[in-house]
Amino acid sequence: AVYARDLELWGLSLAKNIAGVAVGAELSYRRNDPLTSDQALSAAGSFAGARGHTWHGLLNAVLALGPTGFYDSASLAGELAWSRLDRV
């Protein structure tokens, strides 16, 4: 396997309980990140794919539900993810 070098990752995250709902959020920026691409043999004889700068966001929530006639406990979960190519 070939692993990329000289990467930068900047990010922030938040976790909070809002009105009984566990909410989480993340935002990250990756510089010089390896991108999904066809690999090409470089002049140095190693395989290298495309590199670029990318943004990533995530928002999730979990709600615990109390017992009812149908179940003892349950949870409702949702997640939204976002990614954007900033520059190649």
Side-chain angles (χ1 to χ4, degrees):
V2 176
Y3 296 98
R5 297 175 188 247
D6 301 321
L7 308 175
E8 288 183 33
L9 171 62
W10 297 85
L12 57 106
S13 65
L14 168 75
K16 186 85 173 153
N17 188 317
I18 302 171
V21 179
V23 177
E26 297 179 9
L27 180 66
S28 65
Y29 180 68
R30 300 177 190 172
R31 290 180 52 87
N32 206 25
D33 200 32
L35 304 174
T36 303
S37 61
D38 291 332
Q39 294 182 342
L41 186 61
S42 70
S46 65
F47 288 93
R51 307 283 290 264
H53 306 331
T54 58
W55 286 95
H56 305 273
L58 178 69
L59 180 64
N60 57 41
V62 178
L63 173 64
L65 303 172
T68 70
F70 297 110
Y71 53 80
D72 292 329
S73 66
S75 60
L76 179 62
E79 183 171 87
L80 296 172
W82 167 81
S83 295
R84 178 176 171 80
L85 178 62
D86 189 32
R87 189 171 106 180
V88 176

